[in-house]
Amino acid sequence: MPWLLVVVAGILETGFAVCLKLSHGFTRLWPTIAFACFALGSFGLLTLALRKLDVGPAYAVWTGIGAAGTAIYGMIFLGDIVSTLKLVSISFVIVGVIGLQLSGSAH
């Protein structure tokens, strides 16, 4: 269950990163409100997960999901440049996240 919280928190991290961009420096109301909601949800779920997980692997998985998710979202929906190197790098992040999750840091 704690790893599920980390995964959902990582997905919410993608949401707050995208909304941060869409807020244009907190000058747009709805993306700013969405940013705050996603950020609070993400940090809240990560905090709950850290009651049972080691901080290093959990934080790495959380940031990895957020980074990969944000990069993928940007390429699909925001017109970010797609390159082979970027796709390979995202794949390495995902493989690393899976490896850390499988390392079994639950108490």
Side-chain angles (χ1 to χ4, degrees), residues 72-105:
I72 291 166
Y73 186 94
M75 289 185 288
I76 293 171
F77 297 108
L78 301 177
D80 291 357
I81 295 170
V82 179
S83 70
T84 302
L85 181 57
K86 189 180 281 190
L87 294 173
V88 169
S89 298
I90 291 169
S91 298
F92 284 143
V93 169
I94 293 169
V95 168
V97 164
I98 292 168
L100 284 168
Q101 194 277 339
L102 293 175
S103 71
S105 67

